Amino acid sequence: MEREKIHLQYPLNATSKTILWNAISTPSGLEGWFADHVQSDDKTVTFFWGKTESRSAEIVAVRAYSFIRFRWKDQKDSREYFEFRMDYSELTNDFTLEIVDFAAKDEADDMRELWDSQVETLRRACGF
């Protein structure tokens, strides 16, 4: 099944790079909006949803206060990843959260809706 790269941008009324960075890169931050529970062991991060669902990802690239890229350990295509990137606009003094992910073509719209919902939870959790 053919998969496509999804690139999403969310303007955030965030003025603190530390709060946003912690929300996208630390277990406690990710627990606030992305997963119910997150465990990190050096380069491996395990995400838990509900009582039975979990998935592990490897951190494949990171630049502090810029981006973090994960690759699901059970992903067959080694070129696929998901990434959180924060960009600062000096014009508006706000940050934009960019998300890159991959989905099957027939699931791309559902994936976009899922990310929209997750980022809305992030906004509420962090006050953006």
Side-chain angles (χ1 to χ4, degrees), residues 51-95:
K51 294 183 179 191
T52 59
E53 188 178 352
S54 68
R55 200 164 178 202
S56 293
E58 175 186 11
I59 298 173
V60 293
V62 63
R63 182 178 305 141
Y65 298 101
S66 181
F67 74 94
I68 186 164
R69 179 179 291 182
F70 301 89
R71 181 173 299 119
W72 293 116
K73 289 196 163 219
D74 60 0
Q75 185 64 46
K76 290 178 178 55
D77 188 340
S78 64
R79 296 170 296 176
E80 291 189 16
Y81 58 89
F82 68 101
E83 177 178 278
F84 304 130
R85 179 176 297 272
M86 51 189 274
D87 291 315
Y88 180 72
S89 169
E90 291 184 12
L91 184 64
T92 63
N93 291 323
D94 287 330
F95 286 93

Side-chain angles (χ1 to χ4, degrees), residues 2-120:
E2 192 172 338
R3 294 174 62 83
E4 68 180 54
K5 185 177 190 178
I6 298 170
H7 184 247
L8 305 165
Q9 293 183 310
Y10 298 96
L12 302 174
N13 293 326
T15 55
S16 170
K17 70 178 185 179
T18 302
I19 291 172
L20 180 54
W21 178 248
N22 287 339
I24 64 173
S25 68
T26 66
S28 62
L30 290 163
E31 285 176 1
W33 68 283
F34 184 71
D36 296 330
H37 181 64
V38 180
Q39 289 180 339
S40 179
D41 180 17
D42 194 29
K43 288 272 193 192
T44 300
V45 181
T46 304
F47 302 94
F48 299 88
W49 296 273
K51 294 183 179 191
T52 59
E53 188 178 352
S54 68
R55 200 164 178 202
S56 293
E58 175 186 11
I59 298 173
V60 293
V62 63
R63 182 178 305 141
Y65 298 101
S66 181
F67 74 94
I68 186 164
R69 179 179 291 182
F70 301 89
R71 181 173 299 119
W72 293 116
K73 289 196 163 219
D74 60 0
Q75 185 64 46
K76 290 178 178 55
D77 188 340
S78 64
R79 296 170 296 176
E80 291 189 16
Y81 58 89
F82 68 101
E83 177 178 278
F84 304 130
R85 179 176 297 272
M86 51 189 274
D87 291 315
Y88 180 72
S89 169
E90 291 184 12
L91 184 64
T92 63
N93 291 323
D94 287 330
F95 286 93
T96 299
L97 175 62
E98 295 182 40
I99 298 174
V100 176
D101 200 355
F102 291 79
K105 283 197 176 279
D106 63 343
E107 297 174 354
D109 288 339
D110 291 339
M111 182 67 73
R112 286 181 186 91
E113 286 181 23
L114 176 63
W115 281 118
D116 289 349
S117 173
Q118 295 299 104
V119 171
E120 190 56 38

